Structure formats: structure tokens, C-alpha cells
């Protein structure tokens, strides 16, 4: 499902990227596809990167209430309108988050500061520092045992778009980017772990960050401005094939360092989320300079980094089995962790993960599915924590637009009408979710209630086909020219039982229309390769996104084919939608931006690049022997496990 991120420090780097989530039943890629968060090992937050579902799928359910727009003493912030706040407690209580839009002038500076905002000159941002929360200090030492459903593709932050990879990369580099996300409002802001100050020019095109004193790499070397410039230079080089490059090169003009303590971003246009483009986690130039950027055979740092800036260092990675991260005693962006290490096992079955936790072999199962909910609640040695995340995780059925027959909008509409969303939520996901009809969930302040909805109705599906000239002849659908629709091949990752259920249910309901489905379960990485590579031998595919907290950034999914836009949606409507996203990201007036995003939702639903199925609730199971971060809008591991400890 969508690819967008989770922890405060991690969010700094991926807040605008959605990620694909591998398993999990819709719990998740702000632009990252994801359904339940199976692939993730930390609390979710979808980033605008594509993600397949599951937790990267990933993934957590979206917040249940939208906050009304606020103007603290008349000040508006860079993010503009307010966004929905996720549930803040395990019981699912929700809170409304206010947001402000761009501050104008010195007269409002004092008021903004009093209202919890940080003035950066032309723009004020939420001040995240008062909202940072830590667990009480506990015992030093110990190992935290986690599990994920599938292995990571790479530890290189700029080669991947899957949720597991981005989660593991956050152990090594989380907290080092210059921008972050406010835990209370979910809005982008300055990451004061990495920067001590930000100055935005009057024209909102130049952002000047001053680096925080004392930050070091794990080898003790100081983190300097050239580390950030070096990383941006390589990440934004088309030859290095970063999946999210277009979302950054569209806006970033230059990144420079006039001195070792200063990083300057010049943007091509004023954008409400420009600060998030400063969210890439740096790599140590003194280690990487002169080495190959992406070939592990030529540069061992690609898969076995020796010098990092995050709270954890790589200790050992046995592909297909486990990975262990050891405490970084030189950690400066985050506090030095209280635990000695974190070990993440590869356990494809979520049910097996829950059994291992009940047996004491695992300590934390992140993003369980509805299938395992009741079993997890029986655990006497663990607690199920339920919450709604800022980053919604949702599941969809995608179309392969390379197939001429799927380019017919009337056929797509009929299939949407024949998808029983509510039954899927209630019967397959135990009611732990809700139907969705566009990339903007109903709990978002940007949600448009007038978005076209294809609520389940076989009668409407049949009427739609009949009006378009289709006929059901002997149980097989024929178009108006009498040509029989071939049997459609629907793909999904085999470790995701909810997706398997969706495929089985739609095989039956689509069959009522004369549309025959061949169900093809695949191992996750094989599945992703098949939908993104020649010969594109499929018709439909089930994935999910773990989104970011900012729906306006989902356009990154549509820009690249097939990197994120696997189904190759490239109609005239798509071009209109991408233009509207761009317009929304440059509109500082919250009411106007909401209108623009309303058009985005309407057009997207009308053209149906996906059959939007449902979004899910976050469900985590934690051993009672650990003290963990207080549950908030990003879950329970937003501090990168640095404040977790044995009781």
C-alpha cells in the first residue's frame, strides 16, 4: 500500500513518500501502498512512497476525526489547513490536530511562538519540541525481538520503495534529516535533532538550515553540511535511479553548503511542503565519497554500512533469516538506546509471529492483521495496543492499463460496483477498518464527501455494463463488438490472507458479471517484480499504501511508471490530477487548497486507477516485560526504540 513513514526521526526523511506494504491487511504508502503494516517493524506513518500493503504497506488505520482549521493568533503555517489527528491512546481515542498556515510579518512572530510555533522568518512551523514524549528510564541492556513478514530489499536509503527496507534503514539513519514531523499535529516542521535553526526567505524560495552542534557519525566524526549536500547530489542524479527522484527534482533547484554548519536549499517555486524536501537522511561523505553509489559488489557500504548516524548500527544480516542492530554508543541525534540490541526475524506468517510472541520467542508484533487479532488478545504475557495513526494504510485493487480492455472506464466502474467493500471489512477484517473511495481518507480535513462512491451493487454493475454495450453470454462477458473478455489474472502476495480473501471474494462477485478471474498468489518480492517488469503479465493486482500525513503529496505515486505507478495509469485525467496536486502544494490558503484537493478526489474516483477497498486500524502486540514509548499519533516506536527498556 502507500509508501509514507512513521517515526519522528524517520518521518523527517520520508514524510512525503508513500511506501508499499508487503503484508498485512489494510492497516497502511502516503504514498506508499500498504494495508496492514506487516512489513514494518515500527509504528507506522505512511510516507508518500508507494507501498504494497501490509505495513508498508503498509499499516495502520487512519485517524478517526478531522481537526478543524485553526489560526493561532491569526497565524497560518506552512502546511496550511489542519490535518486529521490519529488516535492517541490504545483505546482508540482520537484528538483533533490544529494546523496553521504561513506566517506573515514580524507582528505575528510573538503570537506564533506563544501558540507553539517556531518562526523561521517568512513561514512559521509547529514547534515539535514541547510535544516530544519519552518513556520513563528503565534497566540498561537486553535485546528486543521483533519479526517481519518479508526481508528487506536493501539497506541503501536511495535504492528502495518497500516498507521493510525503509523501516530497517531508519535504524541506521533515522533522526538525521533536517525536517521532521510534529507528533501532535502531524505537520512537517524543523527536525531540531539535526538543526538548531531555519531561516526562510521572504519569497519562500530559500531555506537556510544551521546544523546543531555536537552531532556525530558512529565513528565519532562530526556531521557537516557537506554530508547533506553530497547525499542530495547523488540521490537527485537520474543515473542513480532513486524511486522518488521526480517528487524532489520537481521542486528543488540547488542544495549548497556555504560553510560546514550551513545547508541552503533553493526551491523552484513556493510550496507548502518544501520543508519536507529537506527530509533526506544524509550518508557520511567521508565514507562514501568516490565509491559506487549502488553496486554492493563494488561498494560494501551499500548492504553493510559501517558508519551511520542513527541510534543503531548493523551487527549482522542473514538474508531470509534475521537482522540484528546493535546500540550506537556514539548516537547523538537520538539518545543512546537503553537496550543493547534489536533482532528482527523473518517470519512470513503473521499467525506464526503471534504464536512465537505467546511462547516468549518474540517481544513485539507490529501491525497484526484482523485474522490474528482474537488470538493475540488471548496472550497472557503481552498486550494488544490499538490506535489510529496519522498515516493511513489502505488496500486497493489496481488495473494494468497496458491491457486495452481495462482502458474502458465503464468496465472499471462495473468491477468497482462488484467489489463488496463493507463485507470485506466486516467479514475479512473483523470490522477493523472502513471503506475508502480515493487516496484521501474520510478522517482527513481535506476529504471531499462528494467524491463518487461505487458502493457494492451487482445490479448497478450489470446496468453499467449493459449501458456500455456489454453482454453476458453463457457466463462470459462480451463487449459491444462481440469480443469475449479474456480470463483476468489477479495477483497478490501469498503471505497476506486478507488479500487472498479479497481475490477469492471478487472472483465470485466478478463472475456474476461474466468476468472470470484467475487467482495468482506470489512470494512478495516475486510479486513486486512481476507487476513492475516486462512482460507485465497480469490484469489486476492487490496492494496497499502506507501514506504520509499529507494527502497532497500522493502525486508522487502517479509520476513514475512503473516505479510506483505499477498499473501505468496515464490517461488524460491522470495528467489533470497531477497538475491539481502541484497546484495544491503551492496553495498556502487552506480553504483554496481544500477545494483543489476536492477536485483531485473527484477526478481520481471518476477515472478509477484503482478500486479503492478499505483502510485499517493499527494493532500492535507487545510483551509485558518491556516499557515502551507512550502511544501517540505515530504509534509506540516513534523514538526509534531508544526509550524502550526492560521493566
Amino acid at each position: 500500500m502507500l509508501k509514507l513513514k512513521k517515526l519522528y526521526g524517520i518521518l523527517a526523511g520520508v514524510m512525503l513518500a508513500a511506501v508499499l506494504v508487503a503484508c498485512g491487511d489494510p492497516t497502511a504508502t502516503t504514498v506508499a501502498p500498504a494495508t496492514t503494516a506487516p512489513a514494518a517493524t515500527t509504528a507506522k506513518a505512511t510516507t508518500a512512497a508507494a507501498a504494497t500493503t501490509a505495513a508498508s504497506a503498509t499499516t495502520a488505520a487512519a485517524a478517526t476525526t478531522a481537526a478543524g482549521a485553526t489560526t493561532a493568533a491569526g497565524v497560518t503555517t506552512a502546511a496550511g489547513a489542519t490535518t486529521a489527528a490519529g488516535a492517541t491512546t490504545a483505546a482508540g481515542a482520537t484528538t483533533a490536530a490544529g494546523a496553521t498556515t504561513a506566517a506573515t510579518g514580524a507582528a505575528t512572530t510573538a503570537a506564533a511562538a506563544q501558540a507553539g510555533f517556531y518562526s523561521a522568518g517568512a513561514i512559521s512551523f509547529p514547534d515539535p519540541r514541547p510535544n516530544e514524549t519519552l518513556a520513563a528510564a528503565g534497566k540498561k541492556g537486553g535485546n528486543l525481538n521483533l519479526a517481519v513478514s518479508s526481508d528487506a530489499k536493501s539497506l541503501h536509503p536511495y535504492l528502495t520503495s518497500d516498507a521493510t527496507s525503509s523501516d530497517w534503514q531508519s535504524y541506521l539513519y533515522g533522526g538525521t534529516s533536517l525536517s521532521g514531523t510534529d507528533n501532535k499535529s502531524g505537520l512537517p516542521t524543523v527536525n531540531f535533532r539535526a538543526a538548531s535553526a531555519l531561516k526562510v526567505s521572504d519569497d519562500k524560495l530559500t531555506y537556510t538550515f544551521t546544523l546543531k552542534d555536537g552531532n556525530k557519525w558512529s565513528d565519532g566524526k562530526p556531521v557537516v553540511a557537506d554530508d547533506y549536500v553530497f547525499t542530495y547530489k547523488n540521490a537527485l542524479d537520474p543515473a542513480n535511479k532513486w524511486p522518488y527522484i521526480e517528487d524532489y527534482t520537481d521542486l528543488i533547484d540547488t542544495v549548497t553548503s556555504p560553510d560546514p554548519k550551513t545547508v541552503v536549499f533553493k526551491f523552484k517555486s513556493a510550496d507548502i511542503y518544501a520543508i519536507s524536501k529537506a527530509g533526506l537522511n544524509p550518508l557520511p561523505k567521508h565514507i562514501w565519497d568516490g565509491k559506487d553509489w549502488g553496486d554492493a559488489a563494488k561498494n560494501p557500504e551499500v548492504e553493510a554500512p559501517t558508519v551511520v548516524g542513527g541510534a543503531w548500527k548493523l551487527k549482522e544480516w542473514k538474508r531470509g533469516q534475521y537482522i540484528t542492530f546493535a546500540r550506537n554508543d556514539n548516537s547523538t541525534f537520538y539518545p543512546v538506546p537503553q537496550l543493547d540490541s534489536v533482532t528482527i526475524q523473518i517470519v512470513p506468517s503473521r499467525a506464526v509471529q503471534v504464536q512465537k510472541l505467546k511462547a516468549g520467542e518474540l517481544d513485539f508484533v507490529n501491525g497484526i492483521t484482523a485474522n490474528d487479532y482474537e488470538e493475540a488478545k488471548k496472550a497472557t504475557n503481552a498486550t494488544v495496543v490499538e490506535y489510529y495513526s496519522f498515516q493511513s494504510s489502505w488496500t486497493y485493487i489496481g488495473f494494468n492499463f497496458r491491457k486495452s480492455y481495462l482502458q474502458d472506464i465503464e468496465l472499471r466502474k462495473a468491477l468497482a460496483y462488484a467489489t463488496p467493500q463493507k463485507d470485506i471489512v466486516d467479514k475479512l477484517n473483523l470490522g477493523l477498518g472502513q471503506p475508502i473511495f480515493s487516496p484521501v481518507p474520510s478522517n482527513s480535513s481535506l476529504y471531499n464527501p462528494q467524491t463518487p462512491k461505487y458502493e457494492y451493487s451487482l445490479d448497478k454493475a450489470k446496468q453499467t455494463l449493459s449501458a456500455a454495450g456489454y453482454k453476458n453470454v453463457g457466463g462470459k462477458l462480451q463487449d459491444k463488438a462481440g469480443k469475449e473478455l479474456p480470463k483476468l489474472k489477479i495477483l497478490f502476495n501469498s503471505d497476506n490472507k486478507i488479500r487472498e480473501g479479497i481475490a477469492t471474494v471478487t472472483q465470485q462477485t466478478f463472475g456474476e458479471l461474466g468476468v472470470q478471474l484467475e487467482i495468482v498468489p506470489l512470494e512478495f518480492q516475486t510479486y513486486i517484480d512481476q507487476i513492475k517488469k516486462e512482460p507485465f503479465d497480469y490484469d489486476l493486482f492487490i496492494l496497499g499504501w502506507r501514506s504520509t500525513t499529507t494527502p497532497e503529496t500522493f502525486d508522487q505515486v502517479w509520476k513514475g511508471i512503473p516505479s510506483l505507478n505499477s498499473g501505468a495509469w496515464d490517461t488524460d485525467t491522470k495528467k489533470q490530477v497531477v497538475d491539481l496536486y502541484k497546484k495544491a502544494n503551492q496553495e498556502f490558503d487552506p480553504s483554496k487548497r481544500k477545494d483543489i484537493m476536492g477536485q483531485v478526489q473527484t477526478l481520481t474516483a471518476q477515472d478509477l486507477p484503482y478500486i479503492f477497498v478499505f483502510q485499517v486500524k493499527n494493532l500492535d502486540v507487545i510483551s509485558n516485560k518491556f516499557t515502551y514509548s507512550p502511544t501517540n499519533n505515530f504509534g509506540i516506536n516513534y523514538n526509534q526504540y531508544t526509550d524502550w527498556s526492560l521493566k
Side-chain angles (χ1 to χ4, degrees), residues 302-333:
V302 170
E303 298 302 340
T306 59
V307 177
V308 298
W312 305 90
K313 301 187 296 183
L314 176 65
K315 181 177 181 180
E316 184 179 27
W317 184 12
K318 292 287 187 182
R319 281 192 175 271
Q321 300 180 48
Y322 65 87
I323 189 169
T324 298
F325 297 97
R327 178 177 61 226
N328 175 12
D329 288 317
N330 283 331
S331 178
T332 51
F333 291 92

mmCIF file of all heavy atoms in Angstrom, residues 302-333:
data_model
loop_
_atom_site.group_PDB
_atom_site.id
_atom_site.type_symbol
_atom_site.label_atom_id
_atom_site.label_comp_id
_atom_site.label_asym_id
_atom_site.label_seq_id
_atom_site.Cartn_x
_atom_site.Cartn_y
_atom_site.Cartn_z
ATOM 1 N N VAL A 302 26.974 -0.353 0.661
ATOM 2 C CA VAL A 302 25.597 -0.397 0.159
ATOM 3 C C VAL A 302 24.744 -1.350 0.991
ATOM 4 O O VAL A 302 23.618 -1.025 1.374
ATOM 5 C CB VAL A 302 25.570 -0.817 -1.329
ATOM 6 C CG1 VAL A 302 24.144 -1.094 -1.787
ATOM 7 C CG2 VAL A 302 26.197 0.270 -2.196
ATOM 8 N N GLU A 303 25.257 -2.534 1.289
ATOM 9 C CA GLU A 303 24.486 -3.524 2.035
ATOM 10 C C GLU A 303 25.008 -3.777 3.447
ATOM 11 O O GLU A 303 24.330 -4.418 4.248
ATOM 12 C CB GLU A 303 24.451 -4.850 1.270
ATOM 13 C CG GLU A 303 23.781 -4.765 -0.085
ATOM 14 C CD GLU A 303 22.338 -4.257 0.001
ATOM 15 O OE1 GLU A 303 21.733 -4.325 1.081
ATOM 16 O OE2 GLU A 303 21.829 -3.766 -1.012
ATOM 17 N N ALA A 304 26.195 -3.284 3.753
ATOM 18 C CA ALA A 304 26.752 -3.493 5.087
ATOM 19 C C ALA A 304 27.410 -2.205 5.576
ATOM 20 O O ALA A 304 28.633 -2.137 5.735
ATOM 21 C CB ALA A 304 27.768 -4.641 5.072
ATOM 22 N N PRO A 305 26.603 -1.159 5.813
ATOM 23 C CA PRO A 305 27.171 0.131 6.215
ATOM 24 C C PRO A 305 27.923 0.033 7.542
ATOM 25 O O PRO A 305 27.439 -0.565 8.501
ATOM 26 C CB PRO A 305 25.941 1.036 6.340
ATOM 27 C CG PRO A 305 24.793 0.106 6.545
ATOM 28 C CD PRO A 305 25.121 -1.120 5.755
ATOM 29 N N THR A 306 29.096 0.618 7.560
ATOM 30 C CA THR A 306 29.928 0.573 8.762
ATOM 31 C C THR A 306 29.834 1.840 9.588
ATOM 32 O O THR A 306 30.138 1.833 10.787
ATOM 33 C CB THR A 306 31.401 0.347 8.384
ATOM 34 O OG1 THR A 306 31.824 1.417 7.516
ATOM 35 C CG2 THR A 306 31.579 -0.977 7.656
ATOM 36 N N VAL A 307 29.441 2.940 8.942
ATOM 37 C CA VAL A 307 29.331 4.228 9.639
ATOM 38 C C VAL A 307 27.947 4.804 9.372
ATOM 39 O O VAL A 307 27.550 4.978 8.219
ATOM 40 C CB VAL A 307 30.412 5.217 9.165
ATOM 41 C CG1 VAL A 307 30.228 6.570 9.850
ATOM 42 C CG2 VAL A 307 31.802 4.665 9.462
ATOM 43 N N VAL A 308 27.199 5.093 10.449
ATOM 44 C CA VAL A 308 25.824 5.573 10.328
ATOM 45 C C VAL A 308 25.590 6.716 11.306
ATOM 46 O O VAL A 308 26.425 7.000 12.166
ATOM 47 C CB VAL A 308 24.824 4.438 10.608
ATOM 48 C CG1 VAL A 308 24.978 3.322 9.583
ATOM 49 C CG2 VAL A 308 25.012 3.885 12.027
ATOM 50 N N GLY A 309 24.438 7.359 11.172
ATOM 51 C CA GLY A 309 24.106 8.458 12.073
ATOM 52 C C GLY A 309 22.956 8.155 13.002
ATOM 53 O O GLY A 309 22.652 8.933 13.903
ATOM 54 N N GLY A 310 22.281 7.024 12.788
ATOM 55 C CA GLY A 310 21.120 6.678 13.594
ATOM 56 C C GLY A 310 21.471 6.111 14.952
ATOM 57 O O GLY A 310 22.636 6.029 15.340
ATOM 58 N N ALA A 311 20.437 5.701 15.676
ATOM 59 C CA ALA A 311 20.629 5.209 17.036
ATOM 60 C C ALA A 311 21.173 3.787 17.091
ATOM 61 O O ALA A 311 21.601 3.319 18.148
ATOM 62 C CB ALA A 311 19.298 5.266 17.792
ATOM 63 N N TRP A 312 21.173 3.092 15.932
ATOM 64 C CA TRP A 312 21.582 1.699 15.896
ATOM 65 C C TRP A 312 22.586 1.457 14.777
ATOM 66 O O TRP A 312 22.565 2.156 13.763
ATOM 67 C CB TRP A 312 20.365 0.795 15.695
ATOM 68 C CG TRP A 312 19.294 1.020 16.711
ATOM 69 C CD1 TRP A 312 18.254 1.903 16.622
ATOM 70 C CD2 TRP A 312 19.194 0.399 17.994
ATOM 71 N NE1 TRP A 312 17.485 1.855 17.759
ATOM 72 C CE2 TRP A 312 18.042 0.926 18.624
ATOM 73 C CE3 TRP A 312 19.944 -0.575 18.664
ATOM 74 C CZ2 TRP A 312 17.634 0.535 19.894
ATOM 75 C CZ3 TRP A 312 19.537 -0.967 19.932
ATOM 76 C CH2 TRP A 312 18.399 -0.418 20.536
ATOM 77 N N LYS A 313 23.445 0.473 14.959
ATOM 78 C CA LYS A 313 24.409 0.062 13.945
ATOM 79 C C LYS A 313 24.086 -1.359 13.490
ATOM 80 O O LYS A 313 23.508 -2.145 14.246
ATOM 81 C CB LYS A 313 25.841 0.100 14.501
ATOM 82 C CG LYS A 313 26.298 1.459 15.003
ATOM 83 C CD LYS A 313 27.775 1.449 15.386
ATOM 84 C CE LYS A 313 28.030 0.512 16.557
ATOM 85 N NZ LYS A 313 29.453 0.527 16.990
ATOM 86 N N LEU A 314 24.463 -1.664 12.276
ATOM 87 C CA LEU A 314 24.271 -3.025 11.783
ATOM 88 C C LEU A 314 25.254 -3.959 12.472
ATOM 89 O O LEU A 314 26.461 -3.733 12.473
ATOM 90 C CB LEU A 314 24.491 -3.076 10.265
ATOM 91 C CG LEU A 314 24.420 -4.474 9.635
ATOM 92 C CD1 LEU A 314 23.013 -5.048 9.770
ATOM 93 C CD2 LEU A 314 24.844 -4.412 8.166
ATOM 94 N N LYS A 315 24.712 -5.036 13.036
ATOM 95 C CA LYS A 315 25.565 -6.045 13.643
ATOM 96 C C LYS A 315 25.691 -7.256 12.732
ATOM 97 O O LYS A 315 26.800 -7.725 12.445
ATOM 98 C CB LYS A 315 25.017 -6.472 15.001
ATOM 99 C CG LYS A 315 25.872 -7.512 15.710
ATOM 100 C CD LYS A 315 25.315 -7.847 17.094
ATOM 101 C CE LYS A 315 26.179 -8.870 17.810
ATOM 102 N NZ LYS A 315 25.628 -9.194 19.159
ATOM 103 N N GLU A 316 24.532 -7.765 12.253
ATOM 104 C CA GLU A 316 24.564 -8.948 11.395
ATOM 105 C C GLU A 316 23.267 -9.036 10.602
ATOM 106 O O GLU A 316 22.186 -8.785 11.123
ATOM 107 C CB GLU A 316 24.728 -10.218 12.243
ATOM 108 C CG GLU A 316 24.876 -11.490 11.425
ATOM 109 C CD GLU A 316 25.063 -12.722 12.299
ATOM 110 O OE1 GLU A 316 24.596 -12.717 13.460
ATOM 111 O OE2 GLU A 316 25.672 -13.696 11.833
ATOM 112 N N TRP A 317 23.385 -9.399 9.318
ATOM 113 C CA TRP A 317 22.203 -9.583 8.470
ATOM 114 C C TRP A 317 22.345 -10.906 7.726
ATOM 115 O O TRP A 317 23.224 -11.063 6.885
ATOM 116 C CB TRP A 317 22.082 -8.418 7.489
ATOM 117 C CG TRP A 317 20.839 -8.470 6.631
ATOM 118 C CD1 TRP A 317 19.746 -9.269 6.785
ATOM 119 C CD2 TRP A 317 20.569 -7.666 5.479
ATOM 120 N NE1 TRP A 317 18.803 -9.012 5.820
ATOM 121 C CE2 TRP A 317 19.286 -8.031 5.000
ATOM 122 C CE3 TRP A 317 21.277 -6.675 4.803
ATOM 123 C CZ2 TRP A 317 18.713 -7.445 3.879
ATOM 124 C CZ3 TRP A 317 20.709 -6.076 3.691
ATOM 125 C CH2 TRP A 317 19.437 -6.458 3.235
ATOM 126 N N LYS A 318 21.500 -11.857 8.076
ATOM 127 C CA LYS A 318 21.431 -13.134 7.379
ATOM 128 C C LYS A 318 20.164 -13.096 6.531
ATOM 129 O O LYS A 318 19.051 -13.260 7.065
ATOM 130 C CB LYS A 318 21.362 -14.298 8.374
ATOM 131 C CG LYS A 318 22.626 -14.511 9.183
ATOM 132 C CD LYS A 318 23.744 -15.108 8.347
ATOM 133 C CE LYS A 318 24.941 -15.468 9.216
ATOM 134 N NZ LYS A 318 26.064 -16.022 8.410
ATOM 135 N N ARG A 319 20.332 -12.851 5.232
ATOM 136 C CA ARG A 319 19.168 -12.680 4.367
ATOM 137 C C ARG A 319 18.217 -13.874 4.468
ATOM 138 O O ARG A 319 18.636 -15.023 4.455
ATOM 139 C CB ARG A 319 19.604 -12.481 2.920
ATOM 140 C CG ARG A 319 20.082 -11.059 2.626
ATOM 141 C CD ARG A 319 20.229 -10.827 1.140
ATOM 142 N NE ARG A 319 20.575 -9.449 0.829
ATOM 143 C CZ ARG A 319 19.683 -8.486 0.630
ATOM 144 N NH1 ARG A 319 18.392 -8.744 0.722
ATOM 145 N NH2 ARG A 319 20.074 -7.252 0.332
ATOM 146 N N GLY A 320 16.939 -13.542 4.560
ATOM 147 C CA GLY A 320 15.920 -14.573 4.660
ATOM 148 C C GLY A 320 15.753 -15.150 6.048
ATOM 149 O O GLY A 320 14.841 -15.946 6.282
ATOM 150 N N GLN A 321 16.614 -14.729 7.001
ATOM 151 C CA GLN A 321 16.552 -15.274 8.364
ATOM 152 C C GLN A 321 16.333 -14.190 9.415
ATOM 153 O O GLN A 321 15.312 -14.183 10.101
ATOM 154 C CB GLN A 321 17.838 -16.045 8.674
ATOM 155 C CG GLN A 321 18.100 -17.224 7.755
ATOM 156 C CD GLN A 321 19.384 -17.938 8.118
ATOM 157 O OE1 GLN A 321 19.636 -18.261 9.288
ATOM 158 N NE2 GLN A 321 20.233 -18.200 7.132
ATOM 159 N N TYR A 322 17.277 -13.272 9.524
ATOM 160 C CA TYR A 322 17.149 -12.231 10.554
ATOM 161 C C TYR A 322 18.157 -11.115 10.296
ATOM 162 O O TYR A 322 19.098 -11.245 9.495
ATOM 163 C CB TYR A 322 17.391 -12.817 11.951
ATOM 164 C CG TYR A 322 18.806 -13.333 12.153
ATOM 165 C CD1 TYR A 322 19.840 -12.498 12.576
ATOM 166 C CD2 TYR A 322 19.109 -14.675 11.909
ATOM 167 C CE1 TYR A 322 21.134 -12.979 12.742
ATOM 168 C CE2 TYR A 322 20.395 -15.162 12.079
ATOM 169 C CZ TYR A 322 21.403 -14.305 12.499
ATOM 170 O OH TYR A 322 22.675 -14.768 12.655
ATOM 171 N N ILE A 323 17.936 -10.009 11.014
ATOM 172 C CA ILE A 323 18.904 -8.917 11.040
ATOM 173 C C ILE A 323 19.003 -8.452 12.486
ATOM 174 O O ILE A 323 18.003 -8.449 13.218
ATOM 175 C CB ILE A 323 18.494 -7.750 10.113
ATOM 176 C CG1 ILE A 323 19.643 -6.723 9.993
ATOM 177 C CG2 ILE A 323 17.213 -7.071 10.600
ATOM 178 C CD1 ILE A 323 19.408 -5.694 8.888
ATOM 179 N N THR A 324 20.203 -8.107 12.934
ATOM 180 C CA THR A 324 20.401 -7.606 14.288
ATOM 181 C C THR A 324 21.077 -6.247 14.243
ATOM 182 O O THR A 324 22.085 -6.061 13.545
ATOM 183 C CB THR A 324 21.264 -8.574 15.128
ATOM 184 O OG1 THR A 324 20.589 -9.825 15.254
ATOM 185 C CG2 THR A 324 21.505 -8.011 16.523
ATOM 186 N N PHE A 325 20.501 -5.302 14.978
ATOM 187 C CA PHE A 325 21.079 -3.966 15.117
ATOM 188 C C PHE A 325 21.598 -3.812 16.543
ATOM 189 O O PHE A 325 20.910 -4.172 17.509
ATOM 190 C CB PHE A 325 20.026 -2.891 14.855
ATOM 191 C CG PHE A 325 19.477 -2.902 13.458
ATOM 192 C CD1 PHE A 325 18.277 -3.542 13.179
ATOM 193 C CD2 PHE A 325 20.158 -2.282 12.423
ATOM 194 C CE1 PHE A 325 17.763 -3.562 11.896
ATOM 195 C CE2 PHE A 325 19.653 -2.295 11.130
ATOM 196 C CZ PHE A 325 18.453 -2.946 10.868
ATOM 197 N N ALA A 326 22.813 -3.295 16.679
ATOM 198 C CA ALA A 326 23.415 -3.069 17.992
ATOM 199 C C ALA A 326 23.340 -1.592 18.345
ATOM 200 O O ALA A 326 23.318 -0.722 17.468
ATOM 201 C CB ALA A 326 24.874 -3.538 17.992
ATOM 202 N N ARG A 327 23.306 -1.294 19.615
ATOM 203 C CA ARG A 327 23.244 0.090 20.095
ATOM 204 C C ARG A 327 24.430 0.895 19.570
ATOM 205 O O ARG A 327 25.568 0.437 19.576
ATOM 206 C CB ARG A 327 23.258 0.096 21.627
ATOM 207 C CG ARG A 327 23.248 1.485 22.244
ATOM 208 C CD ARG A 327 23.201 1.409 23.754
ATOM 209 N NE ARG A 327 24.366 0.709 24.293
ATOM 210 C CZ ARG A 327 24.303 -0.224 25.232
ATOM 211 N NH1 ARG A 327 23.130 -0.597 25.729
ATOM 212 N NH2 ARG A 327 25.402 -0.795 25.667
ATOM 213 N N ASN A 328 24.152 2.094 19.083
ATOM 214 C CA ASN A 328 25.207 3.019 18.665
ATOM 215 C C ASN A 328 25.570 3.871 19.872
ATOM 216 O O ASN A 328 24.847 4.802 20.234
ATOM 217 C CB ASN A 328 24.714 3.900 17.517
ATOM 218 C CG ASN A 328 25.727 4.975 17.120
ATOM 219 O OD1 ASN A 328 26.883 4.940 17.545
ATOM 220 N ND2 ASN A 328 25.288 5.932 16.317
ATOM 221 N N ASP A 329 26.676 3.546 20.509
ATOM 222 C CA ASP A 329 27.086 4.276 21.711
ATOM 223 C C ASP A 329 27.501 5.708 21.411
ATOM 224 O O ASP A 329 27.660 6.512 22.340
ATOM 225 C CB ASP A 329 28.223 3.530 22.414
ATOM 226 C CG ASP A 329 27.741 2.248 23.086
ATOM 227 O OD1 ASP A 329 26.672 2.292 23.725
ATOM 228 O OD2 ASP A 329 28.414 1.203 22.950
ATOM 229 N N ASN A 330 27.689 6.024 20.132
ATOM 230 C CA ASN A 330 28.003 7.402 19.732
ATOM 231 C C ASN A 330 26.770 8.127 19.195
ATOM 232 O O ASN A 330 26.887 9.170 18.560
ATOM 233 C CB ASN A 330 29.101 7.414 18.656
ATOM 234 C CG ASN A 330 30.485 7.178 19.245
ATOM 235 O OD1 ASN A 330 30.741 7.526 20.396
ATOM 236 N ND2 ASN A 330 31.375 6.583 18.464
ATOM 237 N N SER A 331 25.581 7.566 19.441
ATOM 238 C CA SER A 331 24.354 8.189 18.948
ATOM 239 C C SER A 331 24.194 9.589 19.528
ATOM 240 O O SER A 331 24.280 9.783 20.749
ATOM 241 C CB SER A 331 23.144 7.330 19.328
ATOM 242 O OG SER A 331 21.949 7.935 18.901
ATOM 243 N N THR A 332 23.958 10.568 18.654
ATOM 244 C CA THR A 332 23.786 11.952 19.107
ATOM 245 C C THR A 332 22.457 12.553 18.652
ATOM 246 O O THR A 332 21.901 13.423 19.324
ATOM 247 C CB THR A 332 24.935 12.844 18.585
ATOM 248 O OG1 THR A 332 25.069 12.664 17.167
ATOM 249 C CG2 THR A 332 26.246 12.485 19.260
ATOM 250 N N PHE A 333 21.949 12.119 17.498
ATOM 251 C CA PHE A 333 20.661 12.649 17.034
ATOM 252 C C PHE A 333 19.553 12.150 17.965
ATOM 253 O O PHE A 333 18.676 12.911 18.360
ATOM 254 C CB PHE A 333 20.388 12.205 15.598
ATOM 255 C CG PHE A 333 21.297 12.849 14.583
ATOM 256 C CD1 PHE A 333 22.486 12.245 14.209
ATOM 257 C CD2 PHE A 333 20.959 14.063 14.009
ATOM 258 C CE1 PHE A 333 23.323 12.832 13.282
ATOM 259 C CE2 PHE A 333 21.789 14.670 13.074
ATOM 260 C CZ PHE A 333 22.978 14.049 12.703
#
